Amino acid sequence: MTTLGMKPVAAVTAGGERIGQAIVVALARAGYDVVLHYRTKRPTIETTAELARRAGAEVLLHQGDLSVRAQAEALRETVVRRFQRIDVLVANAGAFEGTPVDHFSDEIFQRMLQDNLFSALWVARSFGVWMRDQGSGSIVALADVAALRPWKGYLAYNIAKAGVVAMVRTLAKELAPAVRVNAVAPGPILFPPGFPVDQQQREIERTLLRRAGAPEHVAEAVLFLCRNDYVTGVVLPVDGGRLLAGDDGY
Ligand SMILES: NC(=O)c1ccc[n+]([C@@H]2O[C@H](COP(=O)([O-])OP(=O)(O)OC[C@H]3O[C@@H](n4cnc5c(N)ncnc54)[C@H](OP(=O)(O)O)[C@@H]3O)[C@@H](O)[C@H]2O)c1
């Protein structure tokens, strides 16, 4: 709920590129002002900011490593200082790297937990408590179908994304009725740079729809969860049927 005449305000973590960029543009087109967070990639964030401004949004940039709790809280303080309100948080930041069970370093394992779980947890907690005190708000976190159906070879990532789902469901209980908390669980949307083409093809063939999704499919789902105020605590797969299909794709 916004005060008459005021635009709603959304913060998107890692909003500069790929899926984050599509979410920012969709929110801007839907009438939100946007706080655009980034960690390192300043040039891409400028491009996204320009796209959002052209869609009519006021845009504020904020840099930080969100696996550090104080930096996640600093993002929330930036939003409040400028807008005095927060309507939507999209916890989009994440990282994707394999950790096969026979050989992975502590460093990679911890990084997967930091970048996927803690970067969502600290912002969701900080924004969520503030939204609860404000009396309203919506949080959407980016999970992965791997949270529900784990990828072989990705122990740390799977644990982290399952943690995101547990976080979403717990916060939905803790912060209700003022704040709704949901997740989107994408399937194959955009492969990481350098992901082998034959493996990409195999993942696509394991969806029922036999095609990769687009970032805009994820952005649509985020908008739906922001708009529909009778939905909380759900995990919405946007996966072309990957969850339902067996490993042979049927
Ligand atoms: N792409 C897919 O098909 C797919 C499928 C399933 C789930 N997802 C999930 O959807 C979300 C977006 O996916 P994507 O592929 O567009 O992401 P991506 O290209 O992997 O980008 C992730 C972004 O998160 C940022 N980030 C990572 N750790 C961070 C931290 N500790 N603090 C702040 N920022 C951090 C990175 O910033 P820097 O680069 O500056 O470090 C990067 O900009 C992710 O949560 C991902 O797990 C994506």
Side-chain angles (χ1 to χ4, degrees):
M1 200 83 64
T2 52
T3 311
L4 201 63
M6 287 183 76
K7 289 179 76 174
V9 177
V12 181
T13 74
E17 54 180 356
R18 291 166 56 92
I19 291 175
Q21 181 181 72
I23 293 169
V24 164
V25 171
L27 286 165
R29 286 185 182 146
Y32 287 82
D33 287 330
V34 185
V35 177
L36 203 43
H37 157 271
Y38 67 102
R39 182 166 64 174
T40 59
K41 301 204 183 78
R42 181 84 198 195
T44 61
I45 207 88
E46 298 286 2
T47 308
T48 307
E50 191 47 37
L51 290 172
R53 285 191 193 103
R54 273 194 234 143
E58 175 176 341
V59 180
L60 204 62
L61 304 184
H62 183 97
Q63 190 275 335
D65 179 345
L66 301 177
S67 67
V68 179
R69 182 172 168 167
Q71 296 194 34
E73 285 169 2
L75 173 61
R76 192 250 304 145
E77 282 157 15
T78 294
V79 184
V80 171
R81 200 176 311 117
R82 170 62 193 88
F83 294 102
Q84 294 84 49
R85 62 175 303 105
I86 316 171
D87 299 285
V88 163
L89 166 71
V90 183
N92 169 71
F96 188 66
E97 220 171 309
T99 47
V101 72
D102 284 323
H103 46 87
F104 55 77
S105 66
D106 289 7
E107 191 274 322
I108 295 185
F109 207 90
Q110 275 166 15
R111 188 150 41 80
M112 286 302 99
L113 293 183
Q114 297 285 357
D115 289 352
N116 288 298
L117 177 55
F118 285 91
S119 71
L121 173 64
W122 295 138
V123 282
R125 190 224 168 244
S126 176
F127 279 68
V129 167
W130 199 91
M131 287 169 166
R132 183 197 61 200
D133 296 346
Q134 172 185 247
S136 66
S138 169
I139 297 174
V140 182
L142 273 287
D144 187 302
V145 286
L148 310 168
R149 190 182 196 290
W151 309 133
K152 198 175 166 191
Y154 289 85
L155 181 63
Y157 178 80
N158 297 338
I159 290 171
K161 289 298 191 182
V164 170
V165 168
M167 175 198 85
V168 159
R169 299 179 64 181
T170 309
L171 289 181
K173 283 189 166 184
E174 292 259 2
L175 302 174
V179 183
R180 295 181 304 104
V181 188
N182 294 292
V184 175
I189 306 292
L190 290 177
F191 292 96
F195 199 79
V197 175
D198 58 327
Q199 284 182 40
Q200 293 189 23
Q201 204 46 46
R202 206 166 56 224
E203 285 309 319
I204 289 167
E205 279 161 14
R206 286 173 173 164
T207 65
L208 293 180
L209 300 184
R210 300 288 192 266
R211 54 190 160 89
E216 290 70 23
H217 289 122
V218 178
E220 284 261 342
V222 170
L223 268 188
F224 166 77
L225 292 171
C226 294
R227 282 175 170 150
N228 191 317
D229 73 356
Y230 202 53
V231 177
T232 195
V234 308
V235 180
L236 176 57
V238 179
D239 69 341
R242 177 68 183 91
L243 263 181
L244 183 60
D247 272 344
D248 58 359
Y250 290 96

mmCIF file with all atom_site columns, all heavy atoms in Angstrom, residues 68-79:
data_model
loop_
_atom_site.group_PDB
_atom_site.id
_atom_site.type_symbol
_atom_site.label_atom_id
_atom_site.label_alt_id
_atom_site.label_comp_id
_atom_site.label_asym_id
_atom_site.label_entity_id
_atom_site.label_seq_id
_atom_site.pdbx_PDB_ins_code
_atom_site.Cartn_x
_atom_site.Cartn_y
_atom_site.Cartn_z
_atom_site.occupancy
_atom_site.B_iso_or_equiv
_atom_site.pdbx_formal_charge
_atom_site.auth_seq_id
_atom_site.auth_comp_id
_atom_site.auth_asym_id
_atom_site.auth_atom_id
_atom_site.pdbx_PDB_model_num
ATOM 1  N N   . VAL A 1 68 ? 27.916 -9.667  3.803  1.00 0.00 ? 68 VAL A N   1
ATOM 2  C CA  . VAL A 1 68 ? 28.326 -9.003  5.043  1.00 0.00 ? 68 VAL A CA  1
ATOM 3  C C   . VAL A 1 68 ? 27.099 -8.294  5.614  1.00 0.00 ? 68 VAL A C   1
ATOM 4  O O   . VAL A 1 68 ? 26.524 -7.416  4.967  1.00 0.00 ? 68 VAL A O   1
ATOM 5  C CB  . VAL A 1 68 ? 29.460 -7.978  4.772  1.00 0.00 ? 68 VAL A CB  1
ATOM 6  C CG1 . VAL A 1 68 ? 29.871 -7.279  6.053  1.00 0.00 ? 68 VAL A CG1 1
ATOM 7  C CG2 . VAL A 1 68 ? 30.635 -8.664  4.092  1.00 0.00 ? 68 VAL A CG2 1
ATOM 8  N N   . ARG A 1 69 ? 26.700 -8.708  6.780  1.00 0.00 ? 69 ARG A N   1
ATOM 9  C CA  . ARG A 1 69 ? 25.434 -8.226  7.335  1.00 0.00 ? 69 ARG A CA  1
ATOM 10 C C   . ARG A 1 69 ? 25.344 -6.695  7.390  1.00 0.00 ? 69 ARG A C   1
ATOM 11 O O   . ARG A 1 69 ? 24.323 -6.108  7.035  1.00 0.00 ? 69 ARG A O   1
ATOM 12 C CB  . ARG A 1 69 ? 25.275 -8.823  8.744  1.00 0.00 ? 69 ARG A CB  1
ATOM 13 C CG  . ARG A 1 69 ? 23.991 -8.444  9.393  1.00 0.00 ? 69 ARG A CG  1
ATOM 14 C CD  . ARG A 1 69 ? 23.818 -9.223  10.678 1.00 0.00 ? 69 ARG A CD  1
ATOM 15 N NE  . ARG A 1 69 ? 22.725 -8.681  11.449 1.00 0.00 ? 69 ARG A NE  1
ATOM 16 C CZ  . ARG A 1 69 ? 22.180 -9.303  12.478 1.00 0.00 ? 69 ARG A CZ  1
ATOM 17 N NH1 . ARG A 1 69 ? 22.612 -10.468 12.844 1.00 0.00 ? 69 ARG A NH1 1
ATOM 18 N NH2 . ARG A 1 69 ? 21.189 -8.754  13.131 1.00 0.00 ? 69 ARG A NH2 1
ATOM 19 N N   . ALA A 1 70 ? 26.433 -6.037  7.799  1.00 0.00 ? 70 ALA A N   1
ATOM 20 C CA  . ALA A 1 70 ? 26.411 -4.573  7.920  1.00 0.00 ? 70 ALA A CA  1
ATOM 21 C C   . ALA A 1 70 ? 26.182 -3.920  6.565  1.00 0.00 ? 70 ALA A C   1
ATOM 22 O O   . ALA A 1 70 ? 25.527 -2.872  6.467  1.00 0.00 ? 70 ALA A O   1
ATOM 23 C CB  . ALA A 1 70 ? 27.720 -4.086  8.530  1.00 0.00 ? 70 ALA A CB  1
ATOM 24 N N   . GLN A 1 71 ? 26.689 -4.558  5.485  1.00 0.00 ? 71 GLN A N   1
ATOM 25 C CA  . GLN A 1 71 ? 26.518 -3.965  4.153  1.00 0.00 ? 71 GLN A CA  1
ATOM 26 C C   . GLN A 1 71 ? 25.096 -4.170  3.647  1.00 0.00 ? 71 GLN A C   1
ATOM 27 O O   . GLN A 1 71 ? 24.554 -3.353  2.907  1.00 0.00 ? 71 GLN A O   1
ATOM 28 C CB  . GLN A 1 71 ? 27.557 -4.531  3.191  1.00 0.00 ? 71 GLN A CB  1
ATOM 29 C CG  . GLN A 1 71 ? 28.970 -4.141  3.617  1.00 0.00 ? 71 GLN A CG  1
ATOM 30 C CD  . GLN A 1 71 ? 30.011 -4.376  2.543  1.00 0.00 ? 71 GLN A CD  1
ATOM 31 O OE1 . GLN A 1 71 ? 29.751 -4.241  1.353  1.00 0.00 ? 71 GLN A OE1 1
ATOM 32 N NE2 . GLN A 1 71 ? 31.218 -4.711  2.964  1.00 0.00 ? 71 GLN A NE2 1
ATOM 33 N N   . ALA A 1 72 ? 24.469 -5.275  4.046  1.00 0.00 ? 72 ALA A N   1
ATOM 34 C CA  . ALA A 1 72 ? 23.058 -5.488  3.701  1.00 0.00 ? 72 ALA A CA  1
ATOM 35 C C   . ALA A 1 72 ? 22.195 -4.453  4.419  1.00 0.00 ? 72 ALA A C   1
ATOM 36 O O   . ALA A 1 72 ? 21.258 -3.880  3.842  1.00 0.00 ? 72 ALA A O   1
ATOM 37 C CB  . ALA A 1 72 ? 22.638 -6.903  4.092  1.00 0.00 ? 72 ALA A CB  1
ATOM 38 N N   . GLU A 1 73 ? 22.540 -4.175  5.667  1.00 0.00 ? 73 GLU A N   1
ATOM 39 C CA  . GLU A 1 73 ? 21.778 -3.177  6.417  1.00 0.00 ? 73 GLU A CA  1
ATOM 40 C C   . GLU A 1 73 ? 21.998 -1.781  5.846  1.00 0.00 ? 73 GLU A C   1
ATOM 41 O O   . GLU A 1 73 ? 21.076 -0.955  5.817  1.00 0.00 ? 73 GLU A O   1
ATOM 42 C CB  . GLU A 1 73 ? 22.139 -3.258  7.903  1.00 0.00 ? 73 GLU A CB  1
ATOM 43 C CG  . GLU A 1 73 ? 21.470 -4.483  8.518  1.00 0.00 ? 73 GLU A CG  1
ATOM 44 C CD  . GLU A 1 73 ? 21.926 -4.845  9.919  1.00 0.00 ? 73 GLU A CD  1
ATOM 45 O OE1 . GLU A 1 73 ? 22.759 -4.127  10.492 1.00 0.00 ? 73 GLU A OE1 1
ATOM 46 O OE2 . GLU A 1 73 ? 21.428 -5.880  10.417 1.00 0.00 ? 73 GLU A OE2 1
ATOM 47 N N   . ALA A 1 74 ? 23.212 -1.544  5.328  1.00 0.00 ? 74 ALA A N   1
ATOM 48 C CA  . ALA A 1 74 ? 23.484 -0.241  4.708  1.00 0.00 ? 74 ALA A CA  1
ATOM 49 C C   . ALA A 1 74 ? 22.620 -0.029  3.468  1.00 0.00 ? 74 ALA A C   1
ATOM 50 O O   . ALA A 1 74 ? 22.183 1.097   3.192  1.00 0.00 ? 74 ALA A O   1
ATOM 51 C CB  . ALA A 1 74 ? 24.966 -0.141  4.345  1.00 0.00 ? 74 ALA A CB  1
ATOM 52 N N   . LEU A 1 75 ? 22.337 -1.104  2.728  1.00 0.00 ? 75 LEU A N   1
ATOM 53 C CA  . LEU A 1 75 ? 21.449 -0.987  1.558  1.00 0.00 ? 75 LEU A CA  1
ATOM 54 C C   . LEU A 1 75 ? 20.052 -0.558  2.007  1.00 0.00 ? 75 LEU A C   1
ATOM 55 O O   . LEU A 1 75 ? 19.446 0.353   1.438  1.00 0.00 ? 75 LEU A O   1
ATOM 56 C CB  . LEU A 1 75 ? 21.389 -2.331  0.811  1.00 0.00 ? 75 LEU A CB  1
ATOM 57 C CG  . LEU A 1 75 ? 20.376 -2.425  -0.343 1.00 0.00 ? 75 LEU A CG  1
ATOM 58 C CD1 . LEU A 1 75 ? 20.669 -1.413  -1.440 1.00 0.00 ? 75 LEU A CD1 1
ATOM 59 C CD2 . LEU A 1 75 ? 20.359 -3.851  -0.928 1.00 0.00 ? 75 LEU A CD2 1
ATOM 60 N N   . ARG A 1 76 ? 19.557 -1.186  3.047  1.00 0.00 ? 76 ARG A N   1
ATOM 61 C CA  . ARG A 1 76 ? 18.230 -0.815  3.559  1.00 0.00 ? 76 ARG A CA  1
ATOM 62 C C   . ARG A 1 76 ? 18.221 0.649   4.021  1.00 0.00 ? 76 ARG A C   1
ATOM 63 O O   . ARG A 1 76 ? 17.284 1.405   3.746  1.00 0.00 ? 76 ARG A O   1
ATOM 64 C CB  . ARG A 1 76 ? 17.854 -1.757  4.699  1.00 0.00 ? 76 ARG A CB  1
ATOM 65 C CG  . ARG A 1 76 ? 16.406 -1.667  5.113  1.00 0.00 ? 76 ARG A CG  1
ATOM 66 C CD  . ARG A 1 76 ? 16.240 -1.026  6.478  1.00 0.00 ? 76 ARG A CD  1
ATOM 67 N NE  . ARG A 1 76 ? 17.001 -1.710  7.494  1.00 0.00 ? 76 ARG A NE  1
ATOM 68 C CZ  . ARG A 1 76 ? 17.592 -1.085  8.526  1.00 0.00 ? 76 ARG A CZ  1
ATOM 69 N NH1 . ARG A 1 76 ? 17.518 0.217   8.663  1.00 0.00 ? 76 ARG A NH1 1
ATOM 70 N NH2 . ARG A 1 76 ? 18.265 -1.781  9.418  1.00 0.00 ? 76 ARG A NH2 1
ATOM 71 N N   . GLU A 1 77 ? 19.311 1.073   4.681  1.00 0.00 ? 77 GLU A N   1
ATOM 72 C CA  . GLU A 1 77 ? 19.379 2.464   5.154  1.00 0.00 ? 77 GLU A CA  1
ATOM 73 C C   . GLU A 1 77 ? 19.373 3.445   3.982  1.00 0.00 ? 77 GLU A C   1
ATOM 74 O O   . GLU A 1 77 ? 18.757 4.502   4.046  1.00 0.00 ? 77 GLU A O   1
ATOM 75 C CB  . GLU A 1 77 ? 20.640 2.674   6.007  1.00 0.00 ? 77 GLU A CB  1
ATOM 76 C CG  . GLU A 1 77 ? 20.482 2.127   7.414  1.00 0.00 ? 77 GLU A CG  1
ATOM 77 C CD  . GLU A 1 77 ? 21.825 1.816   8.087  1.00 0.00 ? 77 GLU A CD  1
ATOM 78 O OE1 . GLU A 1 77 ? 22.872 2.284   7.581  1.00 0.00 ? 77 GLU A OE1 1
ATOM 79 O OE2 . GLU A 1 77 ? 21.813 1.086   9.102  1.00 0.00 ? 77 GLU A OE2 1
ATOM 80 N N   . THR A 1 78 ? 20.055 3.067   2.880  1.00 0.00 ? 78 THR A N   1
ATOM 81 C CA  . THR A 1 78 ? 20.068 3.928   1.687  1.00 0.00 ? 78 THR A CA  1
ATOM 82 C C   . THR A 1 78 ? 18.655 4.122   1.154  1.00 0.00 ? 78 THR A C   1
ATOM 83 O O   . THR A 1 78 ? 18.249 5.230   0.808  1.00 0.00 ? 78 THR A O   1
ATOM 84 C CB  . THR A 1 78 ? 20.949 3.282   0.585  1.00 0.00 ? 78 THR A CB  1
ATOM 85 O OG1 . THR A 1 78 ? 22.279 3.261   1.042  1.00 0.00 ? 78 THR A OG1 1
ATOM 86 C CG2 . THR A 1 78 ? 20.876 4.053   -0.723 1.00 0.00 ? 78 THR A CG2 1
ATOM 87 N N   . VAL A 1 79 ? 17.894 3.040   1.086  1.00 0.00 ? 79 VAL A N   1
ATOM 88 C CA  . VAL A 1 79 ? 16.526 3.122   0.547  1.00 0.00 ? 79 VAL A CA  1
ATOM 89 C C   . VAL A 1 79 ? 15.668 4.012   1.445  1.00 0.00 ? 79 VAL A C   1
ATOM 90 O O   . VAL A 1 79 ? 14.967 4.912   0.970  1.00 0.00 ? 79 VAL A O   1
ATOM 91 C CB  . VAL A 1 79 ? 15.875 1.720   0.453  1.00 0.00 ? 79 VAL A CB  1
ATOM 92 C CG1 . VAL A 1 79 ? 14.507 1.819   -0.202 1.00 0.00 ? 79 VAL A CG1 1
ATOM 93 C CG2 . VAL A 1 79 ? 16.756 0.744   -0.317 1.00 0.00 ? 79 VAL A CG2 1
#
